């Protein structure tokens, strides 16, 4: 945990983690109890981790850390399940907003790329017109995620529907797209969470979605977000 040198200390000369800095190792139990110990100077090693947490870790424990090799070795030595947290985009500069007609150019471009991903020919003008009609007639709700308020990273589009049995509104999560350069950074999950938040705020029963059988990447994201695959019903379509 790097910190600024105190007045009585010397100025740190090296950038990043070095022997000029002390490592304060912290861990938290599921019950909320905190362990905080002065571990070493510089980068902690797997041996120092074993010494520090000796007696605190039991069989069946799950270790959640970043992907540094010391943690990986520590987990391997103790035969622990290891959840490695990937470094993500700085979310301080990333915002999600409900899109309106002022965002038509941005959404239209993203929507065109989304259709290309699903094997359609590029048609930017038709894409913008389709989105414009949905907005004008309030036929969908679109959230766009932006970096630094100017760079679009992706969008999610929800269509309204209803459940007759429960007599409640449901939202169809019909479209989800993240720019290729922004993938695997938590952007898709942030959009999914925003959709769930919106559905809850509108008193809906929930959300429903479908995806291609071979789109395993999307399936993994949906399941991580709490979606369950329907094993009880077949869904049929009739297209003209």
């Amino acid at each position: 945990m790097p910190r600024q040198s105190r007045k009585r200390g010397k100025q740190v000369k090296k950038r990043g983690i070095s022997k000029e800095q002390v490592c304060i190792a912290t861990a938290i139990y599921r019950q909320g109890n905190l362990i905080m110990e002065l571990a070493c100077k510089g980068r902690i090693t797997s041996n120092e981790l074993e010494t520090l947490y000796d007696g605190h870790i039991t069989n069946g424990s799950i270790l959640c850390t970043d992907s540094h090799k010391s943690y990986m070795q520590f987990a391997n030595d103790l035969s622990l399940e290891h959840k490695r947290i990937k470094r993500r985009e700085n979310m301080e500069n990333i915002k999600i907003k409900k899109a309106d007609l002022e965002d038509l150019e941005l959404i239209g471009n993203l929507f065109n790329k989304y259709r290309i991903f699903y094997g359609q020919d590029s048609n930017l003008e038709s894409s913008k017109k389709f989105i414009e009609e949905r907005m004008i007639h309030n036929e969908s709700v679109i959230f766009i995620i932006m970096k630094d308020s100017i760079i679009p990273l992706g969008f999610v589009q929800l269509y309204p529907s209803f459940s007759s049995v429960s007599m409640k509104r449901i939202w169809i999560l019909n479209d989800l797209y993240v720019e290729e350069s922004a993938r695997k950074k938590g952007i898709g999950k942030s959009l999914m969470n925003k959709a769930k938040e919106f559905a809850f705020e509108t008193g809906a029963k929930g959300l429903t979605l479908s995806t291609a059988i071979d789109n395993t990447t999307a399936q993994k994201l949906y399941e991580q977000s709490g979606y369950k695959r329907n094993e009880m019903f077949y869904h049929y379509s009739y297209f003209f």
Side-chain angles (χ1 to χ4, degrees), residues 210 230 232-239:
S210 61
N230 194 327
M232 297 177 61
F233 298 96
Y234 289 115
H235 293 272
Y236 295 86
S237 300
Y238 186 97
F239 296 120

Side-chain angles (χ1 to χ4, degrees), residues 45-63 70-82:
T45 66
S46 59
N47 289 334
E48 289 165 334
L49 285 166
E50 288 190 31
T51 300
L52 182 65
Y53 295 122
D54 182 40
H56 293 290
I57 297 178
T58 59
N59 290 336
S61 296
I62 300 174
L63 182 69
S70 296
Y71 299 122
M72 296 171 69
Q73 183 64 51
F74 176 61
N76 185 62
D77 291 344
L78 273 67
S79 300
L80 298 174
E81 182 180 351
H82 190 194

Side-chain angles (χ1 to χ4, degrees), residues 20-209:
E20 295 183 86
Q21 296 174 320
V22 296
C23 173
I24 307 296
T26 60
I28 189 168
Y29 291 100
R30 288 191 178 97
Q31 296 83 0
N33 298 326
L34 185 68
I35 302 173
M36 185 177 293
E37 298 282 350
L38 172 61
C40 62
K41 289 185 177 180
R43 179 76 70 177
I44 197 167
T45 66
S46 59
N47 289 334
E48 289 165 334
L49 285 166
E50 288 190 31
T51 300
L52 182 65
Y53 295 122
D54 182 40
H56 293 290
I57 297 178
T58 59
N59 290 336
S61 296
I62 300 174
L63 182 69
C64 301
T65 70
D66 60 36
S67 297
H68 189 263
K69 62 182 180 181
S70 296
Y71 299 122
M72 296 171 69
Q73 183 64 51
F74 176 61
N76 185 62
D77 291 344
L78 273 67
S79 300
L80 298 174
E81 182 180 351
H82 190 194
K83 301 289 188 181
R84 294 187 289 276
I85 304 169
K86 296 179 181 179
R87 180 178 294 179
R88 294 183 175 179
E89 195 82 34
N90 181 4
M91 297 303 287
E92 291 182 1
N93 298 325
I94 293 177
K95 304 294 182 184
I96 300 177
K97 57 166 286 189
K98 185 178 179 181
D100 54 33
L101 286 172
E102 292 183 358
D103 304 303
L104 182 58
E105 288 290 330
L106 298 177
I107 295 293
N109 186 46
L110 291 171
F111 185 66
N112 187 48
K113 292 180 180 180
Y114 167 78
R115 295 183 70 254
I116 293 171
F117 178 82
Y118 279 101
Q120 303 301 306
D121 293 333
S122 177
N123 193 328
L124 183 57
E125 289 306 312
S126 292
S127 294
K128 288 193 292 185
K129 183 178 179 181
F130 180 87
I131 293 298
E132 183 178 29
E133 289 175 349
R134 302 291 76 71
M135 288 181 170
I136 289 174
H137 299 294
N138 294 317
E139 292 175 337
S140 74
V141 173
I142 301 173
F143 292 99
I144 184 172
I145 187 164
M146 306 278 288
K147 180 179 179 181
D148 299 325
S149 300
I150 56 172
I151 304 172
L153 301 179
F155 79 99
V156 62
Q157 180 164 219
L158 308 175
Y159 291 135
S161 186
F162 294 89
S163 167
S164 296
V165 174
S166 64
M167 297 188 294
K168 288 186 176 181
R169 176 188 295 277
I170 60 173
W171 289 97
I172 301 171
L173 197 160
N174 205 76
D175 310 318
L176 176 68
Y177 177 78
V178 175
E179 289 277 36
E180 189 172 355
S181 61
R183 291 171 192 169
K184 297 183 178 180
K185 297 179 180 179
I187 301 301
K189 192 168 186 179
S190 294
L191 286 166
M192 296 285 289
N193 288 337
K194 185 63 178 180
K196 287 195 289 186
E197 178 185 311
F198 176 76
F200 180 79
E201 290 174 350
T202 55
K205 179 182 179 180
L207 299 112
T208 183
L209 59 82

